[in-house]
Amino acid sequence: MLKEHYPIVVGKSLYIDDITPSNTAYLHVVRSPIARGVIKSVSGPEKALLTFTWEQVRNWIPVRLFGPSEGLQVTRMPVLANGRVNFVGQPVIAFVVQDRYEGEDLADDVSVDYEELNAVTDPETALESEPIHPELKSNIFMDQLLQGGNLSLKDKADVVVRRKIKQSRVATNPMEPKGILCWWDGDTLNVKVSTQAPFGVRNDLHELLGIPPEKIKVSSPPNVGGGFGNKSGGYPEYVLAALASLKLGRPVKWIETRSEILNNAQSQGRGEVSDMKLYATRSGEMLGMEGEVIANMGAYAYGINYFTSQFVARLSNGPYKLKFASVRAITVYTNTPPMGFYRGAGRPEAALIHETLVEDLAEELGMDPVEIRRKNLVDDSGYVTPLGLRYDAAGYREVFDRAANYYRKLRETSKGVSLVTFTEIVRTSPGESARIEVKDRKVIVHLGLGAHGQAYESSFRTVVAEELGIDPEKVEVKTGDSEGVKEGIGSFGSRGGTIGSSAALAAAQELKRKMGGKVDLSREMSVEVFYRAEDIFAPGAHVAKVELDPETGIFKVVEYYAVDDVGRVLNREEIEGQIIGGVLQGVSQVMMEAVKFDERGNPMCSSVADCGMLTAVEGPRRVNAEYVEFRSSLLSGSRGVGEAGTTGALPATFIALEKALGKKLSSLPFEPQ
């Protein structure tokens, strides 16, 4: 068992809600019960310690625009509703009480008068519906055509296959919902928060509150109970807790409930609609792609959620040597919670697009799906896609060949078997900070990224000890604290282990250099580096075998093989856990997971059971994880795999199910008729 897992297993670890200083007050948020409407009046409870409405806050959640902004229609999310509401669950009024349970009672004293308006929740319908924001001309935030390569090859194609797929929204559902504890020391704001990115929280609070960043100290509790992309930045409740603590002069805590996280801002991912074509010659050479990706951004632009349509469009090339691409990337507003980033965040959606198209092409041409993939697969030396993604040198061929062997074997006894291949972008750019100090005859490694289930402590301790030539027990690793380093990025996009270990190694090398080539634990010293890196890619190839009950239509994944290029194995036990966990989530999206809405925009998902969540009963009977080690260009040589399982399992399960059914599918999840 890994060292950091022991206190969790025996129940002795601390989560955010286990930390309660004396005199702590509690923030309670009252949310909109309708999907779209005008607020006619609002009044708070008389017995609350403090009450906030829009009039007391008057601020919006930041939007991080990058690239060309011409033509974008930007409406940011207000911290509290500013006269209108646009999704069920939107914060309308907040108040602070002595006791958390008192908050539930006083919520009954809140009065809000709404004039309900027609809502739109479907992204395709939103294209033609009246704008949900009256100041806008339409519901289209962005409509951009991405083109590249030799577009004239489109006219030379012998075969064109087309596939339209509609994906449901999925709730992130980490084991532990969000939570924050704020208190002030003079003019310094202290924040204890369940987060993947302490600096992301600090930066958002800095922008929203106007406080110098050096006056905001953000740290995680000893354990963060998962995130899946849902804990990467600031949220309205964080701003309210900080303001409440300032006004009351005491600690203020907010803990998200399970029902809140299911429909809160950025708690849902996926939900895209893709309609794509693949052009090829009769010999099976893939020429290029054309089509559109529509992303359901939800009610507001929030962070970088608007970028999803472009991200999916660019990744839809897959690990293939396409010569051209022409994809329309559309992002629309709907009366649903602002979309967030659920594990994979565009990677699984893109893999589903390219792998279903390749499967359809093989069928249309009567070719072996293995051979048509092999014919068009990029070489291990890398590739530049028509839309400009630079695939670095990696083990594209080896992962594919190994997985193909498993596919051949399983196909001997079953038709419900799939082989898919993909390359996962690892968001190592722009880099990460690390600081190493020698103190009390120990080496202490500080990183600003936030661990939330990845065993960073064991991984980083090992690589630093090896680099310095010392006993690993002499190395202590501290993550999730904005005070540990000057700047940091965070743990998301499969980046944490890879960029964190590389930054730690860079700091270790700098320490050795300053000490003359050999570390002396009796000399106290501190060094800090920001290790810069570009994005890299991690290829994988997965095989799924599905068994289908012909009477009920219920299916089960009975065997699964995941072959992934991990660059360099830093921690075998943790890699296996990441792959298997990701696979379960990919399978679950095909089998049962969905957040659906009725015609008035009400979420038909008030509990985990309503949203669907895979258990050991429905999950794959066996997941076999196998690794290729084609070292990356980063110092640690590793490649992130946090999202590889989900990226491979979504298309692998989907296609295996199609083969078992003997028909094509066009939506997720699968619902037996």
Side-chain angles (χ1 to χ4, degrees):
M1 180 184 294
L2 296 175
K3 182 177 180 180
E4 55 264 57
H5 288 172
Y6 180 77
I8 300 172
V9 172
V10 299
K12 293 185 177 180
S13 185
L14 291 177
Y15 295 85
I16 183 63
D17 203 19
D18 295 319
I19 303 170
T20 307
S22 60
N23 203 32
T24 295
Y26 294 85
L27 178 74
H28 190 93
V29 180
V30 176
R31 303 173 186 277
S32 172
I34 63 172
R36 183 172 177 236
V38 176
I39 298 175
K40 293 295 188 179
S41 65
V42 57
S43 62
E46 293 182 1
K47 297 181 180 179
L49 299 174
L50 180 69
T51 299
F52 289 122
T53 65
W54 167 251
E55 295 301 323
Q56 287 78 46
V57 179
R58 290 185 171 272
N59 217 328
W60 292 264
I61 298 297
V63 176
R64 309 296 183 194
L65 296 176
F66 52 88
S69 59
E70 185 178 352
L72 302 184
Q73 295 197 105
V74 182
T75 295
R76 296 180 296 164
M77 179 174 167
V79 171
L80 289 171
N82 57 342
R84 303 177 72 93
V85 291
N86 279 294
F87 67 94
V88 174
Q90 180 170 351
V92 175
I93 182 173
F95 57 88
V96 182
V97 289
Q98 291 282 147
D99 179 84
R100 182 182 304 168
Y101 300 102
E102 182 187 1
E104 297 291 339
D105 294 334
L106 289 188
D108 293 335
D109 296 338
V110 172
S111 176
V112 185
D113 183 20
Y114 299 96
E115 177 188 339
E116 188 171 3
L117 303 175
N118 292 331
V120 57
T121 61
D122 180 82
E124 290 182 288
T125 304
L127 292 171
E128 305 299 331
S129 299
E130 68 169 344
I132 68 170
H133 300 294
E135 71 274 16
L136 302 184
K137 297 177 181 179
S138 71
N139 288 318
I140 300 173
F141 171 92
M142 175 177 70
D143 185 350
Q144 296 183 354
L145 182 62
L146 308 178
Q147 289 186 316
N150 186 356
L151 297 171
S152 66
L153 289 175
K154 176 181 172 181
D155 299 327
K156 297 182 180 180
D158 302 313
V159 181
V160 182
V161 292
R162 181 176 183 175
R163 180 71 80 104
K164 182 177 181 179
I165 299 176
K166 192 168 189 173
Q167 301 194 42
S168 293
R169 280 279 188 94
V170 177
T172 52
N173 245 335
M175 180 181 73
E176 175 201 38
K178 295 188 289 294
I180 189 169
L181 173 68
C182 296
W183 71 97
W184 292 77
D185 288 330
D187 61 351
T188 297
L189 171 61
N190 295 278
V191 178
K192 186 72 73 172
V193 60
S194 181
T195 184
Q196 302 169 223
F199 281 89
V201 175
R202 191 187 78 167
N203 293 341
D204 283 348
L205 289 176
H206 155 63
E207 183 169 335
L208 281 156
L209 300 175
I211 304 170
E214 63 271 16
K215 294 293 185 178
I216 305 174
K217 298 180 179 180
V218 180
S219 62
S220 300
N223 196 37
V224 173
F228 305 130
N230 183 238
K231 299 178 179 178
S232 299
Y235 295 89
E237 298 86 354
Y238 296 4
V239 180
L240 296 168
L243 288 173
S245 178
L246 177 63
K247 288 181 175 293
L248 294 173
R250 59 192 290 189
V252 172
K253 179 190 279 191
W254 172 74
I255 301 295
E256 189 175 42
T257 66
R258 182 61 59 182
S259 58
E260 283 180 314
I261 197 173
L262 294 177
N263 297 292
N264 208 347
Q266 291 212 308
S267 289
Q268 299 170 11
R270 311 287 193 262
E272 299 90 349
V273 179
S274 58
D275 190 352
M276 300 283 280
K277 299 176 183 177
L278 177 60
Y279 293 79
T281 65
R282 201 161 299 281
S283 65
E285 180 187 4
M286 299 180 203
L287 299 176
M289 278 188 174
E290 180 184 47
E292 67 179 23
V293 175
I294 306 172
N296 177 2
M297 182 173 67
Y300 299 98
Y302 193 125
I304 61 169
N305 65 352
Y306 66 88
F307 187 65
T308 301
S309 60
Q310 280 203 16
F311 193 54
V312 173
R314 293 181 186 280
L315 293 177
S316 294
N317 188 100
Y320 302 111
K321 294 180 286 188
L322 300 188
K323 285 79 177 174
F324 75 86
S326 178
V327 186
R328 187 180 172 197
I330 307 171
T331 299
V332 299
Y333 291 103
T334 66
N335 293 114
T336 61
M339 186 185 70
F341 300 101
Y342 173 57
R343 195 173 193 170
R347 298 161 182 81
E349 299 98 303
L352 183 63
I353 290 170
H354 62 69
E355 289 308 282
T356 50
L357 285 171
V358 173
E359 202 69 31
D360 291 350
L361 179 62
E363 185 177 303
E364 179 72 20
L365 295 173
M367 290 184 68
D368 182 340
V370 174
E371 294 310 316
I372 198 168
R373 284 179 169 86
R374 181 176 282 120
K375 179 183 180 73
N376 292 279
L377 196 63
V378 302
D379 299 323
D380 287 354
S381 57
Y383 193 72
V384 179
T385 73
L387 294 181
L389 291 180
R390 293 184 173 274
Y391 297 167
D392 57 317
Y396 302 95
R397 296 277 171 173
E398 186 176 351
V399 296
F400 181 79
D401 289 341
R402 287 197 198 180
N405 291 333
Y406 295 122
Y407 171 80
R408 298 285 193 206
K409 183 177 180 180
L410 293 179
R411 279 287 293 171
E412 293 174 0
T413 57
S414 174
K415 69 174 185 177
V417 180
S418 67
L419 166 67
V420 302
T421 187
F422 59 90
T423 184
E424 175 198 5
I425 187 170
V426 182
R427 277 294 195 199
T428 42
S429 66
E432 193 64 61
S433 286
R435 180 169 67 91
I436 290 183
E437 59 176 330
V438 179
K439 187 176 182 181
D440 298 329
R441 304 192 68 84
K442 294 187 87 173
V443 170
I444 304 171
V445 184
H446 299 269
L447 293 108
L449 48 77
H452 51 289
Q454 296 87 354
Y456 291 153
E457 184 179 341
S458 291
S459 300
F460 299 161
R461 180 193 299 115
T462 300
V463 297
V464 169
E466 288 178 356
E467 178 66 28
L468 298 180
I470 61 176
D471 184 346
E473 292 302 313
K474 294 289 186 180
V475 179
E476 181 181 351
V477 177
K478 295 184 177 182
T479 62
D481 192 336
S482 66
E483 292 299 286
V485 291
K486 295 176 182 176
E487 58 179 323
I489 307 300
S491 174
F492 47 82
S494 297
R495 73 189 308 272
T498 294
I499 195 63
S501 59
S502 296
L505 278 170
Q509 291 175 357
E510 178 65 9
L511 178 68
K512 279 202 307 185
R513 186 187 70 79
K514 284 197 168 185
M515 285 193 166
K518 186 176 181 180
V519 173
D520 180 357
L521 296 182
S522 66
R523 290 178 60 192
E524 294 200 351
M525 182 178 290
S526 178
V527 299
E528 182 169 348
V529 301
F530 188 90
Y531 177 76
R532 298 196 174 276
E534 298 297 323
D535 292 338
I536 59 174
F537 286 81
H542 290 196
V543 176
K545 178 182 176 181
V546 161
E547 284 185 357
L548 179 72
D549 185 327
E551 294 185 1
T552 64
I554 296 173
F555 76 93
K556 188 174 183 69
V557 177
V558 295
E559 202 155 358
Y560 196 97
Y561 290 89
V563 185
D564 292 281
D565 181 1
V566 302
R568 170 192 171 195
V569 173
L570 298 180
N571 187 323
R572 187 170 297 275
E573 183 178 340
E574 186 56 30
I575 291 174
E576 183 180 29
Q578 290 292 320
I579 295 292
I580 293 175
V583 167
L584 294 178
Q585 288 176 291
V587 171
S588 188
Q589 190 182 343
V590 180
M591 183 177 285
M592 63 177 66
E593 284 198 63
V595 177
K596 297 183 178 182
F597 302 86
D598 67 15
E599 66 279 357
R600 294 175 61 191
N602 296 308
M604 300 164 66
C605 180
S606 58
S607 69
V608 173
D610 295 334
C611 297
M613 178 174 284
L614 207 64
T615 70
V617 175
E618 300 89 13
R621 292 177 190 165
R622 184 187 310 160
V623 177
N624 304 279
E626 190 173 310
Y627 317 122
V628 168
E629 293 188 80
F630 192 118
R631 289 179 69 100
S632 74
S633 59
L634 275 66
L635 267 184
S636 69
S638 68
R639 299 178 190 273
V641 295
E643 294 157 315
T646 315
T647 302
L650 179 60
T653 306
F654 189 86
I655 293 171
L657 177 59
E658 286 189 328
K659 291 189 173 185
L661 290 166
K663 67 176 184 180
K664 301 296 182 182
L665 302 173
S666 59
S667 63
L668 293 167
F670 172 64
E671 297 178 340
Q673 301 299 318

